[in-house]
Amino acid sequence: MTPDGGLNGRARQQIRRVLENPKFELLPFKNAVEQAGFLPEGALVSVTASPTFTLDRTFDIAAELRMRGFDVVPHLSARMTRDISHLASLLDRMEDLEISRVFVVGGDAPQQGVFPDGYSVLSAMADIGHHLAEIGVPCYPEGHATIPDENLGRALHDKQPHARYMTTQMCFDGGAIAGFLARSRADGIDLPVRLGIPGVAERLKLMQISARIGVGQSVRFLSKHRGLVSRFVRPGGYAPDELLEDVLPRLDERADEVVGVHIYTFNQCETTERWRQEYLAAL
């Protein structure tokens, strides 16, 4: 799509700035490495932790992507990490692979070990020591399906000393994102932000991915975010630029706090990267 004709020069500049600093999220499916081939050389790429698989699967794909020259950010799921020894081995593996970034999440899997949430893993990492230069954490503009908002706010406060940035979870409401950031700043959260935006995905593929991720997980998520399905399945599909053009002008001077985008590619990197390049060219 072409940019909204009503965008002023500053809004266009801010959109260009964040789109030129993308992180591409891949799901740990068999086609992850193949799909990464459609991304720019040396791109910043994250690999999620799926309850359907193991953390070994996430780190195996991260290792393959690292060997292919990508700047890799594996997701470290607290509930999929068994104990301190397991955590230390994952940190050692990242150091061996010269991976210096990680994204720490609580995760949607049933707790498999001693870590109930992201903060417990971050604390353990600080205690045992690590080589990592950058740690990211999630934040939730529209809340979480199973965690009360007050708990989310407290957890973000606790995580802030350990993190370098936060990424907004999938949300299509620019007003909700802007409101969340304003409340977070007023509450003492000053982490830079990566704006989470969905990539360009075919509707059938999305439904297949939802099934592979897990029916129960998908139902819990969609029950909290009822607008998502209609956004994806409406005629013409969904265009990520709609969210950028909605949220960044709302942020005004706070737009500078958004350091880039985190693109949920759904492993459809070819269409997503084509959209990003075409949209940048039109700005």
Side-chain angles (χ1 to χ4, degrees):
M1 291 183 64
T2 57
D4 187 331
L7 289 174
N8 62 32
R10 174 172 167 76
R12 288 172 182 267
Q13 183 182 43
Q14 293 289 14
I15 292 172
R16 170 174 288 279
R17 179 180 59 82
V18 300
L19 266 186
E20 287 179 340
N21 184 23
K23 179 168 70 169
F24 300 94
E25 180 182 286
L26 292 170
L27 300 166
F29 299 158
K30 289 182 178 179
N31 70 341
V33 174
E34 174 191 357
Q35 283 296 307
F38 294 108
L39 301 178
E41 183 177 349
L44 186 62
V45 179
S46 69
V47 184
T48 68
S50 170
T52 308
F53 304 113
T54 65
L55 282 179
D56 287 338
R57 173 70 165 261
T58 294
F59 279 75
D60 286 346
I61 292 173
E64 179 67 23
L65 292 171
R66 184 71 189 93
M67 288 188 288
R68 292 173 183 245
F70 290 99
D71 191 354
V72 186
V73 188
H75 284 213
L76 181 53
S77 169
R79 297 187 186 94
M80 295 173 67
T81 306
R82 296 186 298 274
D83 51 30
I84 292 287
S85 177
H86 187 202
L87 176 60
S89 71
L90 293 172
L91 292 171
D92 287 343
R93 187 174 185 190
M94 282 188 280
E95 187 168 17
D96 291 342
L97 292 168
E98 298 183 349
I99 291 174
S100 62
R101 310 172 193 254
V102 74
F103 194 74
V104 176
V105 299
D108 293 313
Q111 187 174 336
Q112 299 174 16
V114 301
F115 300 112
D117 51 34
Y119 175 66
S120 61
V121 163
L122 290 167
S123 298
M125 289 169 60
D127 288 342
I128 64 180
H130 60 79
H131 69 290
L132 297 165
E134 184 180 83
I135 299 173
V137 295
C139 60
Y140 301 87
E142 290 186 303
H144 190 280
T146 60
I147 303 173
D149 289 346
E150 62 183 30
N151 292 8
L152 291 173
R154 186 163 53 249
L156 198 52
H157 264 287
D158 292 342
K159 294 174 184 178
Q160 180 165 237
H162 303 281
R164 291 281 298 275
Y165 70 94
M166 60 184 182
T167 293
T168 59
Q169 294 300 94
M170 199 183 305
C171 174
F172 291 93
D173 187 339
I177 295 171
F180 168 80
L181 292 179
R183 292 191 302 274
S184 296
R185 296 323 187 203
D187 202 28
I189 302 298
D190 58 9
L191 291 170
V193 181
R194 276 197 175 271
L195 181 64
I197 63 171
V200 177
E202 298 174 13
R203 288 171 282 182
L204 178 58
K205 292 281 189 180
L206 284 173
M207 297 307 168
Q208 292 172 338
I209 287 168
S210 295
R212 293 177 69 179
I213 290 172
V215 173
Q217 180 183 206
S218 298
V219 168
R220 287 194 300 273
F221 182 81
L222 293 174
S223 68
K224 185 75 173 183
H225 306 83
R226 296 183 184 277
L228 288 180
V229 172
S230 62
R231 290 277 189 162
F232 277 123
V233 303
R234 72 184 185 184
Y238 170 75
D241 38 290
E242 295 178 14
L243 178 58
L244 292 170
E245 293 177 8
D246 183 18
V247 67
L248 285 168
R250 290 176 186 265
L251 296 178
D252 197 17
E253 71 275 3
R254 280 205 169 92
D256 291 336
E257 299 171 3
V258 179
V259 296
V261 289
H262 177 106
I263 305 179
Y264 300 97
T265 70
F266 310 106
N267 288 25
Q268 295 194 59
C269 295
E270 183 177 13
T271 52
T272 292
E273 178 58 6
R274 183 188 307 125
W275 160 79
R276 190 180 73 92
Q277 293 293 345
E278 290 175 354
Y279 188 65
L280 277 171
L283 278 171

